[in-house]
């Protein structure tokens, strides 16, 4: 396996894949983009990922994007790390189910705070979207709280979904969610945050 190149940016969902790469023990080069300077829209990066977003992972097979796909790829590329229940199709689908929810529902709800221009041009519409974020993200937190039945997102075994849930969970308080309402989720996020691979990825993302 050749050395991969991982494209990330601070404060983004790319942290989930960053965590998974360290949990897997993967060798990779980290390239951090300055979103404030619109590096994700530079011609150089658009040749890597025409979507102009992060994350992106350049592998010996080609470039992959989209967090759920990247997490599954990392887990399947490093089976010894046991980052997904690869031997159980239903359990693996459950991990994918959570990853899909985080990508399609929770992340989209969060994006309405700062990315309203994706959906409307009217500044009043942007303000309305922003005002809705605490309510919509609180609903996401309530759902996630209801799904925690073990130490990890998939139950007894840590998986790539945990790094993703940790990433989204780190946004909740800033989105106006009262975390005292969600003690199980708060305790869960602390457990994931204590893992060495998570701490390493967070430190590298901020550096």
């Amino acid at each position: 396996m050749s050395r991969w190149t991982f494209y990330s940016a601070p404060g983004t969902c790319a942290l989930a894949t960053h965590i998974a790469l360290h949990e897997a023990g993967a060798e990779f080069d980290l390239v951090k983009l300055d979103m404030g300077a619109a590096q994700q829209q530079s011609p150089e990066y658009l040749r890597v990922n025409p979507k102009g977003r992060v994350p992106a992972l350049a592998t010996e097979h080609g470039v992959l994007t989209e967090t759920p796909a990247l997490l599954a790829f990392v887990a399947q590329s490093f089976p010894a790390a046991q980052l997904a229940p690869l031997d159980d199709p239903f359990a693996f689908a459950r991990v994918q189910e959570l990853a899909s929810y985080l990508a399609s529902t929770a992340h989209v709800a969060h994006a309405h705070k700062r990315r309203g221009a994706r959906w409307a041009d009217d500044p009043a519409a942007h303000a309305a979207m922003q005002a809705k974020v605490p309510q919509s993200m609180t609903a996401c937190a309530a759902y996630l709280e209801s799904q925690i039945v073990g130490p990890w997102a998939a139950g007894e075994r840590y998986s790539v979904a945990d790094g993703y849930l940790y990433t989204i969970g780190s946004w909740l308080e800033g989105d106006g969610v009262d975390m005292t309402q969600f003690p199980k989720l708060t305790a869960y996020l602390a457990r994931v945050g204590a893992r060495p691979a998570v701490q390493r990825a967070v430190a590298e993302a901020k550096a």
Side-chain angles (χ1 to χ4, degrees):
M1 180 182 295
S2 63
R3 190 179 182 92
W4 296 341
T5 301
F6 177 58
Y7 296 85
S8 180
T12 69
C13 66
L15 178 63
T17 302
H18 198 161
I19 291 169
L21 289 167
H22 280 317
E23 292 281 6
E27 293 187 359
F28 64 97
D29 295 314
L30 175 63
V31 177
K32 289 196 293 185
L33 303 178
D34 183 347
M35 303 286 271
Q39 281 188 328
Q40 76 277 16
Q41 296 296 330
S42 68
E44 294 79 12
Y45 184 64
L46 290 175
R47 284 194 288 270
V48 175
N49 181 7
K51 299 171 185 174
R53 297 187 187 179
V54 293
L57 184 67
T59 78
E60 66 271 31
H61 305 292
V63 176
L64 284 173
T65 64
E66 305 299 338
T67 297
L70 290 173
L71 296 180
F73 177 71
V74 172
Q76 292 171 326
S77 297
F78 294 86
Q82 297 185 321
L83 293 175
L86 302 177
D87 57 345
D88 185 333
F90 185 82
F92 184 66
R94 284 292 198 194
V95 171
Q96 292 291 83
E97 179 182 31
L98 176 56
S100 297
Y101 171 81
L102 294 172
S104 65
T105 301
H107 193 165
V108 172
H110 166 78
H112 280 70
K113 183 169 66 175
R114 296 178 180 172
R115 311 292 184 198
R118 292 178 181 173
W119 297 283
D121 295 322
D122 185 354
H126 298 170
M129 292 181 206
Q130 292 168 356
K132 184 73 173 179
V133 168
Q135 180 183 346
S136 55
M137 290 302 281
T138 296
C140 291
Y143 170 75
L144 294 168
E145 173 92 353
S146 74
Q147 296 302 298
I148 296 175
V149 295
W152 309 115
E156 296 301 318
R157 185 192 299 180
Y158 181 91
S159 74
V160 287
D162 290 293
Y164 199 4
L165 179 46
Y166 174 83
T167 298
I168 299 293
S170 69
W171 301 342
L172 292 172
E173 193 167 8
D175 285 344
V177 177
D178 177 6
M179 293 302 291
T180 63
Q181 298 181 54
F182 308 111
K184 288 196 298 182
L185 181 57
T186 299
Y188 163 84
L189 294 172
R191 278 196 300 278
V192 179
R195 294 177 67 88
V198 176
Q199 294 180 351
R200 182 179 179 188
V202 169
E204 289 176 352
K206 291 179 177 179

